[in-house]
Amino acid sequence: MSNEEGAALIHGAKVSASRRSMISASFNFINSIIGSGIIGLPYALNQAGLPLGLLVLLVVAFITDYSIILLIKGGNLSGTNSYQALVQRTFGFPGFLLLSVLQFLYPFIAMISYNITTGDTLTKVFQRIPGVGPGHILAERHCVILLSTAVFTLPLSLYRNIEKLGKVSLLSMGLTLAVLITVIVRAATLAPQILPTKDAWVFAKANAIQAAGIMSFAFICHHNSFLIYGSLEEPSIASWTRVTHVSVGSAVIISAAFAVAGYSTFTGFTQGDIFENYCRDDNLATFGRFCFGLSIVTTFPLECFVTREVVSNLVCCRELTRVEHAGLTVLIVSVCTSMSLAFECLGVVLELNGVLSATPLIFIIPSACFLKLSPGRWFQGENLIPSVLILTGMFVMITGLTMTGLSPQDCSHGREMFYCTDANVSGTIPPKPNAIYLNVVTSVSAV
């Protein structure tokens, strides 16, 4: 073999390895975005109105894409390789401490929501098994959460290298697509049986800021951006930009389809957890619940990676030993599981985590770091967009927090929706068109 042929083979191997690492990074990125937050996107459209909600979704996706790239650029400018190191280099210890709190809270609360969602969805799946009824161990959400933690989430979270989760993330994406197909099919078959609410198709509703918080929660992935960037075979702004565009673009397509299909089915009756809208005896919805529950279980470890890194950077300031790694992982997962057992409803978790944690991590901090490191004045040249994002983020935080406190989400956790008792909407005998909603309107009017 000549030297030229050997060099060509080495170059081809490097290109192949680089391409595989980019694909793996994209899977991890998409899986990180499409977590439990996607389940609340139909409710976000219910809050904002369908047309305005879709516009807000696109804006949040654009800002996410832009700020992720901005974050890595800031890391390159400052010579840092983590979100925390970037903020510490830029704003000193106070900024580092603030970011550490936010960067810990977001994935930690996300893991709690993942467990809550797992308990809610899989218990309904198990109750469809013959012999599993109320009181059975598989029908108790606490037991399901403990079982999924012991068998799946804890073992997967013990990995030290995030790249090893690439195949798991691919599985999660496949499951998410199955959930999307389920929701779309049910939109076609179930929506005609439920008359849309009065203001179902208005352009905008008053709670658009709360919707922006939910969407921010659904799209945030900045907390593990440096981890995924570091997993690339040849990290560069060019390769990272491609990974980001592909990941965020794929996520927004899936999210928009899921949100529209879910909201158009139930309109004003849409719950924060869209699967709470489907009846227990709906076999297709049961399949969707199973896929989504398993998808959430495979997403949990990504958030645990971030939470563990934040704690280790704040406390140890060095790479953990195997024993320390395992001990910290078990501690984080145990505390998260304990809190998951104490709370039963997602409720305002998505909204509050969105406006308090996700919004500053997406809008404010990456932009502030770039402005601090970049020459030139605010609102001029390439500093214009980061400046606007800071002001936008502050507005979303203040307004969203205020509106969430004034009009919190009504939770229907564990209860069958009214139309499930009026007719067997999942069976072979469909109710008369619009009968479900008309019965409810009549009942409410009588009251």
PDB file of all heavy atoms in Angstrom, residues 22-31 33-34 65 68 219 221 228 240-254:
ATOM      1  N   MET A  22     -21.219  13.261  14.733  1.00  0.00           N
ATOM      2  CA  MET A  22     -22.216  14.306  14.489  1.00  0.00           C
ATOM      3  C   MET A  22     -23.622  13.725  14.510  1.00  0.00           C
ATOM      4  O   MET A  22     -24.549  14.352  15.039  1.00  0.00           O
ATOM      5  CB  MET A  22     -21.931  14.990  13.141  1.00  0.00           C
ATOM      6  CG  MET A  22     -20.689  15.857  13.136  1.00  0.00           C
ATOM      7  SD  MET A  22     -20.368  16.640  11.536  1.00  0.00           S
ATOM      8  CE  MET A  22     -21.799  17.696  11.376  1.00  0.00           C
ATOM      9  N   ILE A  23     -23.786  12.521  13.942  1.00  0.00           N
ATOM     10  CA  ILE A  23     -25.103  11.875  13.957  1.00  0.00           C
ATOM     11  C   ILE A  23     -25.509  11.549  15.391  1.00  0.00           C
ATOM     12  O   ILE A  23     -26.650  11.791  15.807  1.00  0.00           O
ATOM     13  CB  ILE A  23     -25.087  10.606  13.081  1.00  0.00           C
ATOM     14  CG1 ILE A  23     -24.906  10.983  11.606  1.00  0.00           C
ATOM     15  CG2 ILE A  23     -26.384   9.813  13.265  1.00  0.00           C
ATOM     16  CD1 ILE A  23     -24.716   9.789  10.694  1.00  0.00           C
ATOM     17  N   SER A  24     -24.562  10.983  16.148  1.00  0.00           N
ATOM     18  CA  SER A  24     -24.840  10.659  17.551  1.00  0.00           C
ATOM     19  C   SER A  24     -25.171  11.910  18.345  1.00  0.00           C
ATOM     20  O   SER A  24     -26.104  11.917  19.160  1.00  0.00           O
ATOM     21  CB  SER A  24     -23.631   9.942  18.170  1.00  0.00           C
ATOM     22  OG  SER A  24     -23.849   9.687  19.541  1.00  0.00           O
ATOM     23  N   ALA A  25     -24.422  12.998  18.103  1.00  0.00           N
ATOM     24  CA  ALA A  25     -24.686  14.259  18.793  1.00  0.00           C
ATOM     25  C   ALA A  25     -26.069  14.795  18.436  1.00  0.00           C
ATOM     26  O   ALA A  25     -26.785  15.320  19.300  1.00  0.00           O
ATOM     27  CB  ALA A  25     -23.606  15.283  18.434  1.00  0.00           C
ATOM     28  N   SER A  26     -26.450  14.662  17.162  1.00  0.00           N
ATOM     29  CA  SER A  26     -27.770  15.141  16.735  1.00  0.00           C
ATOM     30  C   SER A  26     -28.884  14.356  17.420  1.00  0.00           C
ATOM     31  O   SER A  26     -29.880  14.931  17.871  1.00  0.00           O
ATOM     32  CB  SER A  26     -27.908  15.027  15.213  1.00  0.00           C
ATOM     33  OG  SER A  26     -26.958  15.837  14.552  1.00  0.00           O
ATOM     34  N   PHE A  27     -28.727  13.037  17.505  1.00  0.00           N
ATOM     35  CA  PHE A  27     -29.728  12.211  18.191  1.00  0.00           C
ATOM     36  C   PHE A  27     -29.856  12.628  19.662  1.00  0.00           C
ATOM     37  O   PHE A  27     -30.959  12.771  20.191  1.00  0.00           O
ATOM     38  CB  PHE A  27     -29.363  10.737  18.094  1.00  0.00           C
ATOM     39  CG  PHE A  27     -29.581  10.140  16.725  1.00  0.00           C
ATOM     40  CD1 PHE A  27     -28.794   9.082  16.287  1.00  0.00           C
ATOM     41  CD2 PHE A  27     -30.556  10.638  15.886  1.00  0.00           C
ATOM     42  CE1 PHE A  27     -28.994   8.532  15.031  1.00  0.00           C
ATOM     43  CE2 PHE A  27     -30.764  10.097  14.631  1.00  0.00           C
ATOM     44  CZ  PHE A  27     -29.975   9.042  14.199  1.00  0.00           C
ATOM     45  N   ASN A  28     -28.708  12.805  20.327  1.00  0.00           N
ATOM     46  CA  ASN A  28     -28.741  13.225  21.725  1.00  0.00           C
ATOM     47  C   ASN A  28     -29.384  14.594  21.878  1.00  0.00           C
ATOM     48  O   ASN A  28     -30.127  14.848  22.827  1.00  0.00           O
ATOM     49  CB  ASN A  28     -27.323  13.251  22.299  1.00  0.00           C
ATOM     50  CG  ASN A  28     -26.818  11.881  22.709  1.00  0.00           C
ATOM     51  OD1 ASN A  28     -27.600  11.031  23.106  1.00  0.00           O
ATOM     52  ND2 ASN A  28     -25.525  11.662  22.595  1.00  0.00           N
ATOM     53  N   PHE A  29     -29.086  15.489  20.932  1.00  0.00           N
ATOM     54  CA  PHE A  29     -29.626  16.846  20.983  1.00  0.00           C
ATOM     55  C   PHE A  29     -31.145  16.836  20.813  1.00  0.00           C
ATOM     56  O   PHE A  29     -31.884  17.476  21.574  1.00  0.00           O
ATOM     57  CB  PHE A  29     -28.984  17.696  19.889  1.00  0.00           C
ATOM     58  CG  PHE A  29     -28.559  19.054  20.359  1.00  0.00           C
ATOM     59  CD1 PHE A  29     -27.604  19.777  19.663  1.00  0.00           C
ATOM     60  CD2 PHE A  29     -29.112  19.633  21.488  1.00  0.00           C
ATOM     61  CE1 PHE A  29     -27.196  21.016  20.082  1.00  0.00           C
ATOM     62  CE2 PHE A  29     -28.722  20.877  21.918  1.00  0.00           C
ATOM     63  CZ  PHE A  29     -27.752  21.575  21.216  1.00  0.00           C
ATOM     64  N   ILE A  30     -31.609  16.137  19.788  1.00  0.00           N
ATOM     65  CA  ILE A  30     -33.048  16.069  19.537  1.00  0.00           C
ATOM     66  C   ILE A  30     -33.763  15.421  20.718  1.00  0.00           C
ATOM     67  O   ILE A  30     -34.830  15.867  21.155  1.00  0.00           O
ATOM     68  CB  ILE A  30     -33.340  15.301  18.231  1.00  0.00           C
ATOM     69  CG1 ILE A  30     -32.744  16.039  17.033  1.00  0.00           C
ATOM     70  CG2 ILE A  30     -34.843  15.121  18.028  1.00  0.00           C
ATOM     71  CD1 ILE A  30     -32.797  15.249  15.739  1.00  0.00           C
ATOM     72  N   ASN A  31     -33.160  14.357  21.239  1.00  0.00           N
ATOM     73  CA  ASN A  31     -33.750  13.666  22.383  1.00  0.00           C
ATOM     74  C   ASN A  31     -33.804  14.578  23.600  1.00  0.00           C
ATOM     75  O   ASN A  31     -34.748  14.528  24.391  1.00  0.00           O
ATOM     76  CB  ASN A  31     -32.942  12.410  22.701  1.00  0.00           C
ATOM     77  CG  ASN A  31     -33.644  11.503  23.687  1.00  0.00           C
ATOM     78  OD1 ASN A  31     -34.861  11.436  23.715  1.00  0.00           O
ATOM     79  ND2 ASN A  31     -32.875  10.803  24.502  1.00  0.00           N
ATOM     80  N   ILE A  33     -34.156  17.844  23.514  1.00  0.00           N
ATOM     81  CA  ILE A  33     -35.207  18.848  23.293  1.00  0.00           C
ATOM     82  C   ILE A  33     -36.582  18.228  23.468  1.00  0.00           C
ATOM     83  O   ILE A  33     -37.453  18.770  24.163  1.00  0.00           O
ATOM     84  CB  ILE A  33     -35.071  19.464  21.882  1.00  0.00           C
ATOM     85  CG1 ILE A  33     -33.743  20.218  21.747  1.00  0.00           C
ATOM     86  CG2 ILE A  33     -36.243  20.411  21.604  1.00  0.00           C
ATOM     87  CD1 ILE A  33     -33.461  20.705  20.343  1.00  0.00           C
ATOM     88  N   ILE A  34     -36.796  17.074  22.835  1.00  0.00           N
ATOM     89  CA  ILE A  34     -38.120  16.448  22.848  1.00  0.00           C
ATOM     90  C   ILE A  34     -38.219  15.548  24.078  1.00  0.00           C
ATOM     91  O   ILE A  34     -38.126  14.331  23.990  1.00  0.00           O
ATOM     92  CB  ILE A  34     -38.381  15.660  21.553  1.00  0.00           C
ATOM     93  CG1 ILE A  34     -38.181  16.561  20.344  1.00  0.00           C
ATOM     94  CG2 ILE A  34     -39.797  15.105  21.537  1.00  0.00           C
ATOM     95  CD1 ILE A  34     -38.314  15.854  19.026  1.00  0.00           C
ATOM     96  N   ASP A  65     -32.014  28.006  18.554  1.00  0.00           N
ATOM     97  CA  ASP A  65     -30.958  27.704  17.590  1.00  0.00           C
ATOM     98  C   ASP A  65     -29.856  28.755  17.644  1.00  0.00           C
ATOM     99  O   ASP A  65     -28.664  28.427  17.725  1.00  0.00           O
ATOM    100  CB  ASP A  65     -31.564  27.632  16.189  1.00  0.00           C
ATOM    101  CG  ASP A  65     -30.554  27.248  15.119  1.00  0.00           C
ATOM    102  OD1 ASP A  65     -29.810  28.134  14.661  1.00  0.00           O
ATOM    103  OD2 ASP A  65     -30.517  26.066  14.746  1.00  0.00           O
ATOM    104  N   ILE A  68     -27.851  28.773  21.104  1.00  0.00           N
ATOM    105  CA  ILE A  68     -26.977  27.613  21.289  1.00  0.00           C
ATOM    106  C   ILE A  68     -25.644  27.839  20.578  1.00  0.00           C
ATOM    107  O   ILE A  68     -24.567  27.587  21.131  1.00  0.00           O
ATOM    108  CB  ILE A  68     -27.651  26.333  20.772  1.00  0.00           C
ATOM    109  CG1 ILE A  68     -28.821  25.932  21.667  1.00  0.00           C
ATOM    110  CG2 ILE A  68     -26.653  25.183  20.705  1.00  0.00           C
ATOM    111  CD1 ILE A  68     -29.667  24.831  21.086  1.00  0.00           C
ATOM    112  N   PHE A 219     -38.002  23.433  24.692  1.00  0.00           N
ATOM    113  CA  PHE A 219     -36.906  23.536  23.737  1.00  0.00           C
ATOM    114  C   PHE A 219     -35.528  23.703  24.349  1.00  0.00           C
ATOM    115  O   PHE A 219     -34.524  23.551  23.660  1.00  0.00           O
ATOM    116  CB  PHE A 219     -37.159  24.697  22.760  1.00  0.00           C
ATOM    117  CG  PHE A 219     -37.897  24.283  21.529  1.00  0.00           C
ATOM    118  CD1 PHE A 219     -39.268  24.164  21.540  1.00  0.00           C
ATOM    119  CD2 PHE A 219     -37.220  23.976  20.364  1.00  0.00           C
ATOM    120  CE1 PHE A 219     -39.967  23.763  20.418  1.00  0.00           C
ATOM    121  CE2 PHE A 219     -37.903  23.574  19.229  1.00  0.00           C
ATOM    122  CZ  PHE A 219     -39.286  23.468  19.252  1.00  0.00           C
ATOM    123  N   CYS A 221     -32.026  23.259  25.702  1.00  0.00           N
ATOM    124  CA  CYS A 221     -31.028  22.196  25.707  1.00  0.00           C
ATOM    125  C   CYS A 221     -29.639  22.798  25.924  1.00  0.00           C
ATOM    126  O   CYS A 221     -28.629  22.129  25.715  1.00  0.00           O
ATOM    127  CB  CYS A 221     -31.075  21.419  24.394  1.00  0.00           C
ATOM    128  SG  CYS A 221     -31.145  22.474  22.945  1.00  0.00           S
ATOM    129  N   ILE A 228     -22.523  17.854  24.660  1.00  0.00           N
ATOM    130  CA  ILE A 228     -22.729  17.273  23.330  1.00  0.00           C
ATOM    131  C   ILE A 228     -21.685  17.803  22.348  1.00  0.00           C
ATOM    132  O   ILE A 228     -21.172  17.067  21.504  1.00  0.00           O
ATOM    133  CB  ILE A 228     -24.162  17.567  22.837  1.00  0.00           C
ATOM    134  CG1 ILE A 228     -25.186  16.919  23.788  1.00  0.00           C
ATOM    135  CG2 ILE A 228     -24.366  17.049  21.421  1.00  0.00           C
ATOM    136  CD1 ILE A 228     -26.627  17.228  23.449  1.00  0.00           C
ATOM    137  N   TRP A 240     -20.682  22.278  14.618  1.00  0.00           N
ATOM    138  CA  TRP A 240     -21.691  22.506  15.655  1.00  0.00           C
ATOM    139  C   TRP A 240     -22.914  23.213  15.093  1.00  0.00           C
ATOM    140  O   TRP A 240     -24.038  22.910  15.474  1.00  0.00           O
ATOM    141  CB  TRP A 240     -21.093  23.321  16.791  1.00  0.00           C
ATOM    142  CG  TRP A 240     -22.054  23.606  17.895  1.00  0.00           C
ATOM    143  CD1 TRP A 240     -22.567  24.810  18.270  1.00  0.00           C
ATOM    144  CD2 TRP A 240     -22.640  22.649  18.778  1.00  0.00           C
ATOM    145  NE1 TRP A 240     -23.423  24.678  19.329  1.00  0.00           N
ATOM    146  CE2 TRP A 240     -23.477  23.358  19.663  1.00  0.00           C
ATOM    147  CE3 TRP A 240     -22.522  21.270  18.903  1.00  0.00           C
ATOM    148  CZ2 TRP A 240     -24.210  22.711  20.652  1.00  0.00           C
ATOM    149  CZ3 TRP A 240     -23.250  20.629  19.903  1.00  0.00           C
ATOM    150  CH2 TRP A 240     -24.081  21.346  20.763  1.00  0.00           C
ATOM    151  N   THR A 241     -22.698  24.146  14.175  1.00  0.00           N
ATOM    152  CA  THR A 241     -23.812  24.858  13.547  1.00  0.00           C
ATOM    153  C   THR A 241     -24.692  23.889  12.763  1.00  0.00           C
ATOM    154  O   THR A 241     -25.925  23.953  12.828  1.00  0.00           O
ATOM    155  CB  THR A 241     -23.284  25.960  12.609  1.00  0.00           C
ATOM    156  OG1 THR A 241     -22.531  26.906  13.373  1.00  0.00           O
ATOM    157  CG2 THR A 241     -24.442  26.688  11.922  1.00  0.00           C
ATOM    158  N   ARG A 242     -24.067  22.941  12.045  1.00  0.00           N
ATOM    159  CA  ARG A 242     -24.844  21.951  11.295  1.00  0.00           C
ATOM    160  C   ARG A 242     -25.647  21.067  12.243  1.00  0.00           C
ATOM    161  O   ARG A 242     -26.835  20.792  12.002  1.00  0.00           O
ATOM    162  CB  ARG A 242     -23.912  21.104  10.423  1.00  0.00           C
ATOM    163  CG  ARG A 242     -23.331  21.831   9.233  1.00  0.00           C
ATOM    164  CD  ARG A 242     -22.730  20.862   8.230  1.00  0.00           C
ATOM    165  NE  ARG A 242     -21.561  20.182   8.775  1.00  0.00           N
ATOM    166  CZ  ARG A 242     -20.327  20.638   8.697  1.00  0.00           C
ATOM    167  NH1 ARG A 242     -20.097  21.804   8.101  1.00  0.00           N
ATOM    168  NH2 ARG A 242     -19.321  19.946   9.206  1.00  0.00           N
ATOM    169  N   VAL A 243     -24.996  20.594  13.299  1.00  0.00           N
ATOM    170  CA  VAL A 243     -25.691  19.750  14.273  1.00  0.00           C
ATOM    171  C   VAL A 243     -26.866  20.507  14.889  1.00  0.00           C
ATOM    172  O   VAL A 243     -27.975  19.968  15.047  1.00  0.00           O
ATOM    173  CB  VAL A 243     -24.717  19.285  15.377  1.00  0.00           C
ATOM    174  CG1 VAL A 243     -25.481  18.652  16.535  1.00  0.00           C
ATOM    175  CG2 VAL A 243     -23.713  18.296  14.819  1.00  0.00           C
ATOM    176  N   THR A 244     -26.657  21.764  15.232  1.00  0.00           N
ATOM    177  CA  THR A 244     -27.705  22.570  15.867  1.00  0.00           C
ATOM    178  C   THR A 244     -28.880  22.800  14.929  1.00  0.00           C
ATOM    179  O   THR A 244     -30.043  22.636  15.315  1.00  0.00           O
ATOM    180  CB  THR A 244     -27.133  23.927  16.325  1.00  0.00           C
ATOM    181  OG1 THR A 244     -26.050  23.702  17.236  1.00  0.00           O
ATOM    182  CG2 THR A 244     -28.202  24.762  17.010  1.00  0.00           C
ATOM    183  N   HIS A 245     -28.588  23.182  13.693  1.00  0.00           N
ATOM    184  CA  HIS A 245     -29.664  23.433  12.722  1.00  0.00           C
ATOM    185  C   HIS A 245     -30.498  22.174  12.481  1.00  0.00           C
ATOM    186  O   HIS A 245     -31.737  22.232  12.462  1.00  0.00           O
ATOM    187  CB  HIS A 245     -29.085  23.922  11.390  1.00  0.00           C
ATOM    188  CG  HIS A 245     -28.531  25.315  11.429  1.00  0.00           C
ATOM    189  ND1 HIS A 245     -28.888  26.232  12.392  1.00  0.00           N
ATOM    190  CD2 HIS A 245     -27.647  25.954  10.606  1.00  0.00           C
ATOM    191  CE1 HIS A 245     -28.253  27.366  12.166  1.00  0.00           C
ATOM    192  NE2 HIS A 245     -27.503  27.222  11.093  1.00  0.00           N
ATOM    193  N   VAL A 246     -29.828  21.042  12.300  1.00  0.00           N
ATOM    194  CA  VAL A 246     -30.542  19.788  12.049  1.00  0.00           C
ATOM    195  C   VAL A 246     -31.381  19.398  13.265  1.00  0.00           C
ATOM    196  O   VAL A 246     -32.557  19.014  13.139  1.00  0.00           O
ATOM    197  CB  VAL A 246     -29.549  18.659  11.701  1.00  0.00           C
ATOM    198  CG1 VAL A 246     -30.254  17.301  11.692  1.00  0.00           C
ATOM    199  CG2 VAL A 246     -28.902  18.916  10.347  1.00  0.00           C
ATOM    200  N   SER A 247     -30.792  19.520  14.448  1.00  0.00           N
ATOM    201  CA  SER A 247     -31.478  19.096  15.673  1.00  0.00           C
ATOM    202  C   SER A 247     -32.679  19.971  15.982  1.00  0.00           C
ATOM    203  O   SER A 247     -33.788  19.478  16.214  1.00  0.00           O
ATOM    204  CB  SER A 247     -30.496  19.105  16.849  1.00  0.00           C
ATOM    205  OG  SER A 247     -29.388  18.276  16.595  1.00  0.00           O
ATOM    206  N   VAL A 248     -32.476  21.282  16.008  1.00  0.00           N
ATOM    207  CA  VAL A 248     -33.566  22.198  16.332  1.00  0.00           C
ATOM    208  C   VAL A 248     -34.628  22.176  15.234  1.00  0.00           C
ATOM    209  O   VAL A 248     -35.833  22.204  15.518  1.00  0.00           O
ATOM    210  CB  VAL A 248     -33.038  23.626  16.549  1.00  0.00           C
ATOM    211  CG1 VAL A 248     -34.187  24.609  16.791  1.00  0.00           C
ATOM    212  CG2 VAL A 248     -32.074  23.671  17.728  1.00  0.00           C
ATOM    213  N   GLY A 249     -34.191  22.098  13.972  1.00  0.00           N
ATOM    214  CA  GLY A 249     -35.152  22.037  12.875  1.00  0.00           C
ATOM    215  C   GLY A 249     -36.028  20.797  12.952  1.00  0.00           C
ATOM    216  O   GLY A 249     -37.252  20.870  12.772  1.00  0.00           O
ATOM    217  N   SER A 250     -35.424  19.647  13.227  1.00  0.00           N
ATOM    218  CA  SER A 250     -36.202  18.410  13.373  1.00  0.00           C
ATOM    219  C   SER A 250     -37.148  18.503  14.561  1.00  0.00           C
ATOM    220  O   SER A 250     -38.313  18.080  14.482  1.00  0.00           O
ATOM    221  CB  SER A 250     -35.253  17.215  13.554  1.00  0.00           C
ATOM    222  OG  SER A 250     -34.377  17.087  12.459  1.00  0.00           O
ATOM    223  N   ALA A 251     -36.657  19.066  15.657  1.00  0.00           N
ATOM    224  CA  ALA A 251     -37.471  19.167  16.866  1.00  0.00           C
ATOM    225  C   ALA A 251     -38.676  20.081  16.663  1.00  0.00           C
ATOM    226  O   ALA A 251     -39.777  19.787  17.152  1.00  0.00           O
ATOM    227  CB  ALA A 251     -36.624  19.681  18.031  1.00  0.00           C
ATOM    228  N   VAL A 252     -38.507  21.183  15.936  1.00  0.00           N
ATOM    229  CA  VAL A 252     -39.625  22.117  15.763  1.00  0.00           C
ATOM    230  C   VAL A 252     -40.691  21.524  14.841  1.00  0.00           C
ATOM    231  O   VAL A 252     -41.902  21.754  15.040  1.00  0.00           O
ATOM    232  CB  VAL A 252     -39.130  23.476  15.233  1.00  0.00           C
ATOM    233  CG1 VAL A 252     -38.764  23.417  13.762  1.00  0.00           C
ATOM    234  CG2 VAL A 252     -40.187  24.555  15.453  1.00  0.00           C
ATOM    235  N   ILE A 253     -40.283  20.724  13.856  1.00  0.00           N
ATOM    236  CA  ILE A 253     -41.258  20.077  12.981  1.00  0.00           C
ATOM    237  C   ILE A 253     -42.097  19.077  13.775  1.00  0.00           C
ATOM    238  O   ILE A 253     -43.333  19.061  13.688  1.00  0.00           O
ATOM    239  CB  ILE A 253     -40.543  19.382  11.804  1.00  0.00           C
ATOM    240  CG1 ILE A 253     -39.927  20.420  10.872  1.00  0.00           C
ATOM    241  CG2 ILE A 253     -41.521  18.498  11.038  1.00  0.00           C
ATOM    242  CD1 ILE A 253     -39.056  19.823   9.779  1.00  0.00           C
ATOM    243  N   ILE A 254     -41.414  18.239  14.552  1.00  0.00           N
ATOM    244  CA  ILE A 254     -42.123  17.253  15.370  1.00  0.00           C
ATOM    245  C   ILE A 254     -43.013  17.941  16.398  1.00  0.00           C
ATOM    246  O   ILE A 254     -44.177  17.561  16.604  1.00  0.00           O
ATOM    247  CB  ILE A 254     -41.112  16.324  16.068  1.00  0.00           C
ATOM    248  CG1 ILE A 254     -40.346  15.503  15.022  1.00  0.00           C
ATOM    249  CG2 ILE A 254     -41.821  15.394  17.059  1.00  0.00           C
ATOM    250  CD1 ILE A 254     -39.199  14.696  15.596  1.00  0.00           C
TER     251      ILE A 254
END
